[in-house]
Amino acid sequence: MGHLFLHINVSLDGYIADTAGDIDWQFADDEFQGHIDELLESIDGMVFGRKAYEELAGYWPTAGDEVSATQRRRMRELPKYVLSRTLRATSWHNSHVFEDASALAGLEGDIALFAGGGAATSAVRLGLLDEVRLVVNPVFLGGGTRLFDGEYAKTALTLVDDRRFASGALLLTYAVGRE
């Protein structure tokens, strides 16, 4: 198995989307965009839940100058894996559907799980994550989509790195403990 890590924006009160399902509250300054460029250059594939995949598949193929050339290129060429029990076909270049999160165990290389609370919870439940990278945004949303929702085993995490962005957002990187 490769190295599977979660990299996701979260509000200070634990939400990944607001009550309307929007993520426009996330901080995305030039420094953070540079971080995303570096991250995309370092990975071998991406994982999304179905809802996130459908939104991103509608945006990225026609993304313009509002994102970097690196982001446009890597979002096209990298393999994209979508976790879905209902989606049967994809139209976004180099996309693949997995009906069950357990299929992620067979992936090789550095794989980033970028979006989807359900997908993140499934990966935690199955013990598939090697690392959790939370981009904590300095905002309270007061409701919305929780990052982790459901049951999973108690899992120890060890803080291995942190980075502060000028925006006030923090990137906290945790290694997932194995018992």
Side-chain angles (χ1 to χ4, degrees):
M1 180 176 154
H3 178 82
L4 180 66
F5 64 93
L6 173 66
H7 186 288
I8 198 163
N9 278 275
V10 62
S11 67
L12 198 56
D13 53 349
Y15 296 98
I16 58 173
D18 65 19
T19 55
D22 292 328
I23 59 170
D24 57 0
W25 50 268
Q26 296 176 0
F27 290 74
D29 58 16
D30 289 342
E31 180 186 18
F32 186 73
Q33 292 304 322
H35 163 72
I36 295 300
D37 285 353
E38 292 170 9
L39 176 63
L40 288 172
E41 289 288 13
S42 73
I43 62 175
D44 300 301
M46 304 176 276
V47 177
F48 305 103
R50 182 195 50 82
K51 289 180 201 171
Y53 171 83
E54 288 175 341
E55 288 181 28
L56 295 168
Y59 172 76
W60 280 103
T62 59
D65 291 337
E66 71 276 10
V67 296
S68 72
T70 297
Q71 290 173 24
R72 284 192 305 275
R73 177 179 52 81
R74 293 299 281 168
M75 291 301 285
R76 173 169 168 63
E77 68 189 16
L78 281 169
K80 292 160 279 293
Y81 306 99
V82 57
L83 300 177
S84 176
R85 291 185 184 92
T86 58
L87 190 65
R88 296 293 171 237
T90 61
S91 58
W92 193 5
H93 176 74
N94 204 7
S95 295
H96 315 276
V97 178
F98 289 154
E99 201 170 298
D100 189 88
S102 61
L104 299 175
L107 297 177
E108 295 293 326
D110 288 331
I111 308 295
L113 194 164
F114 278 133
T121 301
S122 292
V124 168
R125 186 177 296 123
L126 293 170
L128 297 175
L129 290 178
D130 298 297
E131 198 173 85
V132 174
R133 300 177 190 180
L134 298 178
V135 181
V136 181
N137 288 254
V139 61
F140 289 123
L141 296 180
T145 304
R146 287 223 171 263
L147 172 54
F148 298 111
D149 195 16
E151 295 183 20
Y152 40 86
K154 181 178 176 181
T155 305
L157 304 174
T158 302
L159 183 66
V160 295
D161 196 15
D162 61 83
R163 177 177 176 183
R164 180 179 178 182
F165 294 97
S167 66
L170 294 172
L171 171 60
L172 303 174
T173 302
Y174 295 92
V176 177
R178 302 280 189 243
E179 294 186 24

